[in-house]
Amino acid sequence: DISQQVVEKLTELEQTLAVAESCTGGRLSAAITAIPGSSKVFLGGIVSYSKAAGLLTRARTNQMVEDYPECIETAERARFYISESRKGR
C-alpha cells in the first residue's frame, strides 16, 4: 500500500509531511493516519472546501484576502485558529 510506503520512507529519512486537500475531502490524511506510527511523521492537514478557507490557504498576500470582503471574517478566524494550533494551544 502506498500509504505504508510513504510513512516508512518518511520515518527512514526522518522527514515529516503536512497536506492541504480540497477535492480529496481528507482522504489523503485518512490514508496516512490509518498507518501505525504515522503520528511520528504526519504533522496534519487542512481540508479547504469553503471559499474563505480556500482563499486563506492559497493567499500569498493580505490584498488577495481583501479582494473578497465576504470572506475576510471567516479567513481571519481560521488564521487565528491555525496560529494558535501552531503554538500548541
Side-chain angles (χ1 to χ4, degrees), residues 20-81:
E21 301 181 68
S22 181
C23 297
T24 56
R27 289 190 303 264
L28 179 56
S29 296
I32 295 294
T33 58
I35 306 302
S38 64
S39 62
K40 294 175 187 168
V41 297
F42 187 65
L43 299 177
I46 183 170
V47 177
S48 169
Y49 249 57
S50 75
K51 187 175 190 178
L55 175 64
L56 178 63
T57 59
R58 291 188 309 270
R60 288 178 177 72
T61 66
N62 283 338
Q63 183 61 48
M64 290 176 75
V65 174
E66 291 166 4
D67 287 343
Y68 295 88
E70 70 277 12
C71 298
I72 290 174
E73 184 181 335
T74 304
E76 287 303 320
R77 270 198 318 268
R79 211 177 253 158
F80 169 78
Y81 290 120

Side-chain angles (χ1 to χ4, degrees), residues 2-13:
I2 188 73
S3 301
Q4 178 75 39
Q5 293 172 6
V6 168
V7 170
E8 288 173 0
K9 193 62 160 178
L10 288 169
T11 302
E12 174 190 322
L13 297 173

